[in-house]
Amino acid sequence: MNPLLILVLIVWAVSGVGLIVFVLLHSGKGTGVSDMIASSLYSTQTGTNIIEKNLDRITIIFAIVFMLSLLALMLLYPQGTISR
């Protein structure tokens, strides 16, 4: 296997797992993991907003990296070009 292929596949897999993890950390109707963390760290509502904004930013970064690595795989190795 080509080292570039291995690197792009690793970035793609790590960003995919990270994207899943950070999407699951988002709160839905006040029952998410981020609300549990925020309630233990901060007693005000402002702490929750800061954590949610940071989770949003991290999730967007992981989504962009995932899409760019997927596009790189599609452009560098079109269908049928990876040999065993």
Side-chain angles (χ1 to χ4, degrees):
M1 278 190 146
N2 189 351
L4 180 62
L5 173 64
I6 294 171
L7 179 68
V8 174
L9 283 173
I10 290 172
V11 169
W12 176 71
V14 169
S15 64
V17 170
L19 186 60
I20 291 169
V21 168
F22 282 105
V23 165
L24 290 175
L25 281 174
H26 280 281
S27 64
K29 306 283 184 186
T31 59
V33 176
S34 64
D35 281 336
M36 288 189 296
I37 294 170
S39 65
S40 66
L41 294 177
Y42 304 103
S43 61
T44 64
Q45 186 65 21
T46 58
T48 303
N49 291 335
I50 293 171
I51 291 176
E52 282 294 326
K53 286 181 184 178
N54 288 336
L55 278 175
D56 288 340
R57 289 181 187 133
I58 294 170
T59 305
I60 290 170
I61 290 170
F62 271 103
I64 291 170
V65 170
F66 181 80
M67 288 188 297
L68 290 177
S69 63
L70 187 61
L71 286 173
L73 282 172
M74 290 170 53
L75 293 174
L76 293 173
Y77 302 99
Q79 183 178 2
T81 60
I82 299 175
S83 61
R84 293 178 190 226

